[in-house]
Amino acid sequence: MSIAGLAAALVLGTVGFGTGQTSRVANAQEKMSMMEVKIDNFTFGPATLTVSVGTTVTWINKDDIPHTVVSTDDPKTFKSKVLDTDEKFSFTFSKAGTYPYFCSIHPKMTGKVIVQ
Ligand SMILES: [Cu+2]
């Protein structure tokens, strides 16, 4: 093999290794998950979010009117304060289950988080 060929092989090897590293980092980020639900135009988006146990879900109000995020169970698993524009509320789901929620100001706004 020529020197040039060897150099090319080394470069290819390095690129391949680099790609492997990148995907491993991406996987790690998926495991310690953070998910976001946007509140916009009186809608939770996505309305149904499926996450794994341990995921922190952050709701962010992108509407120009206040909203809340309140679970429908009793006692309530989570309940935000009134969120003004660009305010956020986070909750970490540590148990599997289905968690329906709504906006207590506009009860027709509903969503759910499925934790598995
Ligand atoms: Cu609302």
Side-chain angles (χ1 to χ4, degrees):
M1 201 188 253
S2 67
I3 302 272
L6 190 62
L10 277 174
V11 168
L12 285 177
T14 309
V15 170
F17 179 73
T19 308
Q21 284 293 92
T22 308
S23 64
R24 229 168 296 153
V25 169
N27 285 344
Q29 279 170 345
E30 256 171 286
K31 267 175 196 159
M32 35 175 298
S33 299
M34 303 274 294
M35 298 292 276
E36 201 173 82
V37 176
K38 285 197 177 69
I39 307 171
D40 200 7
N41 199 22
F42 292 89
T43 308
F44 294 107
T48 301
L49 182 69
T50 303
V51 301
S52 34
V53 172
T55 301
T56 299
V57 178
T58 299
W59 286 264
I60 176 162
N61 185 8
K62 287 293 182 188
D63 241 338
D64 49 11
I65 43 164
H67 294 293
T68 64
V69 180
V70 182
S71 66
T72 55
D73 50 355
D74 189 21
K76 306 218 169 293
T77 306
F78 53 89
K79 183 179 191 298
S80 76
K81 67 178 181 84
V82 175
L83 304 173
D84 284 321
T85 303
D86 284 333
E87 285 193 313
K88 296 176 183 183
F89 168 72
S90 294
F91 183 79
T92 302
F93 292 88
S94 52
K95 275 192 215 155
T98 299
Y99 299 85
Y101 63 89
F102 70 119
C103 169
S104 60
I105 305 171
H106 315 102
K108 283 190 176 159
M109 289 175 61
T110 59
K112 75 176 125 169
V113 178
I114 299 169
V115 183
Q116 56 193 14

